[in-house]
Amino acid sequence: MTDLIERLRAIVSDKGLILDEDGKHPYLTDWRETYLGKALAIVRPATTEEVAAVVKLCAAEKVAIVPQGGNTGMMGGGTPHEDGHEIVLSLNRMNRILDIDTIGYTMTVEAGVILKTIQETAAQHDRLFPLSLGAEGSCTIGGNLSTNAGGVQVLHYGNARQLVLGIEVVTPQGEVWNGLRALKKDNTGYDLRDLYLGAEGTLGIITKAVLKLWPKPKDVATAWIAVPSPEAAVELLSGAHAASEDNVTSCELMARQGIDFVLDHVPGSTDPLQEKYDWYVLLEWSSTRARRPGANETGLAEKMEAYLGEAMEKGLVLDAALAQNESQARAFWAIRENHSEGQKREGPSIKHDISVSVSRIADFMAEGLAAMKKALPDCRPVVFGHVGDGNLHFNCQSPPGWNKTQFMAYHHAISGAVYDLVVGHGGSISAEHGIGRLKVEDLAHYRSKVEIDTMRTIKRALDPQNLMNPGKILQV
Ligand code: FAD
Ligand code: 2HG
Ligand code: ZN
């Protein structure tokens, strides 16, 4: 073992190696603190060549590797197992923006660049990188691509898979595949890029990416809206596409329970509306068309106000606050984005990151809430999410005062009931967070034999020694 550590040190130097227990700790547990693993070392290469050399050494020594970015994943995919035989390979020193091409609308980055840095760099060049999620201040683009992250603008721009043109990958054998092609069209055989995207580090390590950029929006309207029901939210969205001239960029649904947790636990949060309602929508429209100074034309805020007025007459809206400036819009967004934090501070929760088709949301919701309550009558449903994508965080908070052990005794009953319904509605048991370690058994249960066998065949072919993030997604 000393020999392995010394050989790793020779590749990444002292700066790239963490061996002391205090220093290792943040890399050994996940954001939700569901798992606490052990690792031989935390290895932090600074270049693709160093990643490749580390992987080659580990392949020769049969040491498994857990790739890690910002460690904000929800499924324990970036956390090592408890046996302490793996290394964590963190990409957090590979954090350089390599190129920005404003003519071709692309940006080339290393995998460890923080998502917010990418958004800010694009904005400085009057461009937009549209991936946007609550963890954007700490997650990395490598982690986003490896989980095929979604977030709050998928509705308009697509999920991470749709925002990338090319990637560079270090294979489980330590070879470098340079797929950094900035091509919109490329039909040359099997799509290797799409294989690694969403693979959660089980097929190789993403080291660089060419990202797509969009023009920066110049006119944005944001509203915090109380609605009578999830059905009304879906109908409101359906009409908004045309009313906004196809400029809906976000449509997030929230139940009151999650908002209360944010107001209770996240300092500085304030309720945008005076009255309390059961359901809310955060709606955002944005356009790249700037309002010309002095011109007598209607901007998105006026259009949205008119639309919400009509919707109110139809009973689809109970009350609404339109953001008057950017800081008010940010305050609305903070309430939405702090839902995970609010739930974490409230205590134990069981998360269901599910999707059904948008038109089935209302039926699923009624049945799902009843199923959760049947499994544990005192549980507290916390439903929120990307309703425009049919993706709900159909979460369940423990009854007040319960500890994790008490609550987890109901895990299978609650999640089984929810997932059976989701699958019955033709939906997915993981819309955006992936499988990681937490849902390995669920994936095997809910996906067909032919799908699981095909996935296993791919994994075995690319990683015959099962050293690349073993035990995540699939047991091989
Ligand atoms: P990590 O957590 O470090 O890793 C995630 C997985 O990818 C692991 O399996 C890991 O092994 C692998 N991995 C990481 N980097 C690489 C790499 N370079 N090459 C190969 N494999 C790699 N997700 C959404 O989809 N939408 C949301 O709206 C959303 N909101 C969130 C809000 C909060 C507050 C939090 C804490 C998380 C949220 N997430 C969301 C979950 C999470 O998937 C994202 O935060 C993010 O995509 C993970 O990036 P990361 O760099 O932290 O990856
Ligand atoms: C979000 O949409 C994230 O905020 C996290 O995907 C969801 O905490 C969750 O369940
Ligand atoms: Zn989400």
Side-chain angles (χ1 to χ4, degrees):
M1 205 42 61
T2 325
D3 183 44
L4 177 82
I5 299 293
E6 287 320 311
R7 289 166 74 190
L8 287 169
R9 197 191 308 277
I11 299 167
V12 297
S13 80
D14 281 332
K15 217 173 158 188
L17 209 52
I18 301 176
L19 298 172
D20 67 293
E21 292 309 317
D22 282 353
K24 281 184 196 173
H25 186 265
Y27 297 86
L28 302 180
T29 188
D30 57 310
W31 187 85
R32 294 186 64 205
E33 297 171 5
T34 304
Y35 299 105
L36 176 60
K38 287 191 186 142
L40 296 169
I42 313 299
V43 185
R44 302 165 60 232
T47 62
T48 300
E49 292 67 33
E50 288 186 11
V51 174
V54 169
V55 174
K56 262 194 183 133
L57 171 60
C58 289
E61 298 297 322
K62 301 196 181 351
V63 172
I65 297 175
V66 182
Q68 197 180 92
N71 201 15
T72 67
M74 291 270 172
M75 294 295 128
T79 311
H81 290 94
E82 292 75 15
D83 59 20
H85 296 151
E86 299 165 319
I87 64 158
V88 171
L89 191 150
S90 168
L91 279 299
N92 64 8
R93 284 177 72 211
M94 291 186 56
N95 57 5
R96 287 175 307 156
I97 307 258
L98 300 173
D99 180 51
I100 176 147
D101 174 358
T102 51
I103 304 290
Y105 279 73
T106 62
M107 192 191 302
T108 306
V109 297
E110 289 183 326
V113 182
I114 301 288
L115 174 56
K116 199 167 181 43
T117 307
I118 294 173
Q119 296 167 343
E120 287 170 353
T121 307
Q124 282 155 17
H125 290 82
D126 199 29
R127 298 289 180 267
L128 173 79
F129 182 63
L131 187 63
S132 172
L133 44 102
E136 62 200 22
S138 33
C139 62
T140 62
I141 191 67
N144 302 144
L145 297 176
S146 300
T147 56
N148 186 25
V152 297
Q153 301 202 100
V154 172
L155 182 59
H156 197 73
Y157 298 98
N159 50 22
R161 200 182 283 281
Q162 275 93 48
L163 311 180
V164 60
L165 290 171
I167 54 173
E168 178 188 81
V169 173
V170 172
T171 70
Q173 292 70 37
E175 304 292 332
V176 179
W177 172 53
N178 183 345
L180 281 176
R181 301 171 188 135
L183 302 175
K184 294 224 161 135
K185 295 185 139 184
D186 180 19
N187 286 346
T188 47
Y190 300 139
D191 195 330
L192 299 182
R193 180 197 65 175
D194 268 353
L195 202 53
Y196 293 110
L197 301 174
E200 302 183 50
T202 61
L203 300 180
I205 300 173
I206 298 178
T207 43
K208 294 190 185 104
V210 184
L211 307 172
K212 286 192 215 171
L213 302 176
W214 276 256
K216 192 176 157 193
K218 297 287 170 7
D219 188 9
V220 180
T222 313
W224 181 267
I225 306 161
V227 294
S229 61
E231 293 94 305
V234 170
E235 213 180 315
L236 186 70
L237 170 63
S238 171
H241 292 301
S244 67
E245 294 165 8
D246 207 12
N247 284 312
V248 180
T249 35
S250 296
C251 182
E252 297 287 309
L253 179 73
M254 286 158 283
R256 182 70 212 179
Q257 182 66 88
I259 294 169
D260 281 339
F261 288 159
V262 174
L263 297 176
D264 288 349
H265 299 301
V266 182
S269 315
T270 45
D271 201 340
L273 297 173
Q274 289 204 324
E275 300 288 320
K276 286 189 177 191
Y277 301 89
D278 290 340
W279 295 100
Y280 296 82
V281 165
L282 179 51
L283 185 66
E284 191 157 281
W285 298 358
S286 46
S287 160
T288 51
R289 188 166 188 272
R291 294 175 73 178
R292 288 163 298 164
N296 184 18
E297 57 189 12
T298 317
L300 285 182
E302 289 89 344
K303 282 189 188 134
M304 189 186 264
E305 196 169 7
Y307 177 63
L308 293 179
E310 285 165 25
M312 204 173 234
E313 281 169 24
K314 288 187 198 153
L316 295 177
V317 167
L318 301 173
D319 196 1
L322 206 77
Q324 298 304 310
N325 49 47
E326 229 183 290
S327 82
Q328 208 175 12
R330 269 202 302 272
F332 294 173
W333 272 111
I335 299 175
R336 163 63 187 88
E337 290 186 334
N338 279 324
H339 268 56
S340 307
E341 192 64 45
Q343 272 208 279
K344 187 170 163 179
R345 294 192 194 177
E346 176 66 18
S349 68
I350 296 170
K351 291 186 186 284
H352 306 113
D353 164 35
I354 62 96
S355 64
V356 293
S357 66
V358 175
S359 47
R360 292 225 185 178
I361 290 261
D363 287 347
F364 166 75
M365 187 86 80
E367 293 165 33
L369 290 174
M372 237 191 232
K373 283 285 187 184
K374 190 171 169 214
L376 179 60
D378 290 337
C379 76
R380 293 173 292 171
V382 183
V383 180
F384 61 97
H386 321 289
V387 68
D389 314 322
N391 173 199
L392 296 174
H393 300 302
F394 204 72
N395 297 346
C396 183
Q397 197 79 23
S398 72
W402 279 34
N403 65 35
K404 206 167 172 175
T405 318
Q406 265 174 307
F407 189 43
M408 287 306 143
Y410 291 84
H411 191 175
H412 283 294
I414 295 172
S415 298
V418 171
Y419 292 151
D420 284 351
L421 267 176
V422 167
V423 172
H425 280 279
S428 167
I429 63 157
S430 182
E432 57 174 12
H433 297 158
I435 300 300
R437 189 168 163 189
L438 197 59
K439 289 189 182 169
V440 172
E441 285 176 18
D442 296 320
L443 184 78
H445 179 73
Y446 288 105
R447 282 300 185 98
S448 66
K449 182 171 178 314
V450 65
E451 281 173 300
I452 298 292
D453 285 350
T454 307
M455 289 188 208
R456 203 170 271 139
T457 303
I458 292 169
K459 168 71 175 170
R460 284 181 182 152
L462 296 189
D463 181 20
Q465 298 202 88
N466 192 23
L467 293 177
M468 203 47 87
N469 216 2
K472 312 291 168 59
I473 301 186
L474 294 168
Q475 295 292 358
V476 289

